[in-house]
Amino acid sequence: MESSPLISAGLPIALFIIMIGIGMTLTVRDFRQVAVYPKGMIVGTLAQILLMPLIAFALASMLDLSPAIAVGLVIIAACPGGTTSNLFVLLARGNIALSIVMTVTASLITIVTLPLLTNFALQLYAGTEESIALPVGRTVGMLIGIVLFPVAVGMVFRTRAPALSRRAESAVSVFGGVVLALLVVGLVWGVRDQIWDLLRQAGPATLLLNLAGIFLGLLAGRAAGLTQRESIAVAVELGIKNSTIALLVTLTLLESSAMSIPAAVYGVLMFPIGFVLAAYGRKIIPAPMIAKPAS
């Protein structure tokens, strides 16, 4: 269940570069619009923090999951999105500023909600309760180092070289797609000896949770009157989870390899589904117009 050194060391570097590229597609005005019209952020964050765990509890009951798998499913459902979700929103032509704000907001709220939901699931399914505490400093540091800082660097670069930054969007999308593809290969290779057993134990539950999150995001966006770009961003944030946090809780804090199975399986399945969602977004959302420099 452990990641290879290539993934653990190379992925943060690749994501840092990608987030700089994402920053090149953004302006302060994009974030100002999210602040002035916060409906998308509120709808998405509430669905992320409250509704996704409720879906996990319902699936655990409907599918009669074992206690360990049920607890693990609740944990992955309670996790926020991460930098990977920001990249998928870029690929899907969704609202990237909204995605980043949701990632940061949900990650900070999760510091409080994830331990509460984990302990409730432990008490409900396993008859036990443990004191769970996410590392606040590590979580905040990760958000600053891999999300906020590189995005800020990219935005500064855009103010200095706007034409070059606009042309860089397609290159960032291609590079991001390659990185995600390599990540899928790395994840599958890492569990190649266990993959069929893992899919048998947690495949149906995690697949249904992922699809429910995406459907919920699209439905909530439409019901709230969000734009297509905002709805896609919400759907991606609900479907593409930060499985690293779930593995941190299950393997490091709870020391349970069985409870980590849903997070591991979800971490693999969410990528092909994310690519399908990205293709859907690119189909319904037109490509942004690139302004030509004045002659």
Side-chain angles (χ1 to χ4, degrees):
M1 220 68 75
E2 296 178 355
S3 60
S4 67
L6 179 63
I7 293 177
S8 59
L11 182 59
I13 296 174
L15 289 176
F16 185 90
I17 296 172
I18 291 169
M19 293 309 292
I20 291 178
I22 289 177
M24 292 181 189
T25 70
L26 296 169
T27 64
V28 175
R29 181 171 176 268
D30 295 318
F31 289 98
R32 187 181 297 121
Q33 286 183 327
V34 175
V36 174
Y37 303 101
K39 186 189 295 184
M41 179 188 67
I42 295 171
V43 169
T45 302
L46 288 177
Q48 179 84 275
I49 299 300
L50 298 178
L51 297 184
M52 287 299 289
L54 289 178
I55 292 174
F57 281 115
L59 288 174
S61 177
M62 290 169 51
L63 300 177
D64 194 25
L65 300 178
S66 67
I69 299 298
V71 173
L73 189 70
V74 172
I75 290 174
I76 186 63
C79 287
T83 50
T84 308
S85 64
N86 304 147
L87 176 54
F88 268 113
V89 171
L90 172 69
L91 296 177
R93 295 178 182 158
N95 189 318
I96 305 171
L98 173 59
S99 175
I100 292 173
V101 170
M102 283 183 58
T103 294
V104 174
T105 303
S107 296
L108 294 176
I109 295 175
T110 296
I111 294 173
V112 176
T113 58
L114 182 54
L116 294 175
L117 288 165
T118 300
N119 282 323
F120 180 74
L122 284 169
Q123 196 171 23
L124 179 64
Y125 297 117
T128 62
E129 185 174 356
E130 300 188 27
S131 179
I132 305 297
L134 292 181
V136 177
R138 180 176 173 182
T139 303
V140 174
M142 179 185 67
L143 290 173
I144 294 174
I146 304 184
V147 179
L148 298 181
F149 178 69
V151 166
V153 170
M155 291 175 66
V156 170
F157 188 86
R158 172 167 179 153
T159 62
R160 302 292 178 85
L164 179 60
S165 297
R166 284 192 292 268
R167 289 196 296 269
E169 181 175 352
S170 59
V172 172
S173 297
V174 171
F175 179 64
V178 171
V179 169
L180 289 174
L182 291 176
L183 179 59
V184 173
V185 173
L187 288 171
V188 173
W189 181 258
V191 297
R192 62 191 181 281
D193 296 331
Q194 308 167 282
I195 188 166
W196 297 116
D197 187 49
L198 295 176
L199 288 174
R200 178 185 59 80
Q201 294 184 62
T206 54
L207 179 61
L208 288 173
L209 179 65
N210 182 270
L211 294 176
I214 292 173
F215 179 76
L216 174 63
L218 294 174
L219 183 64
R222 182 165 185 174
L226 303 181
T227 65
Q228 286 183 326
R229 295 183 67 238
E230 290 172 329
S231 296
I232 286 291
V234 172
V236 171
E237 285 292 323
L238 296 186
I240 306 299
K241 295 286 190 178
N242 190 342
S243 57
T244 303
I245 293 180
L247 291 173
L248 171 69
V249 172
T250 54
L251 290 177
T252 305
L253 300 179
L254 295 177
E255 298 181 349
S256 172
S257 59
M259 291 181 185
S260 70
I261 290 174
V265 175
Y266 195 100
V268 173
L269 292 181
M270 71 180 184
F271 284 98
I273 297 174
F275 280 117
V276 173
L277 182 58
Y280 171 72
R282 296 180 77 86
K283 181 178 181 180
I284 65 171
I285 300 174
M289 298 294 293
I290 299 178
K292 297 181 179 180
S295 58

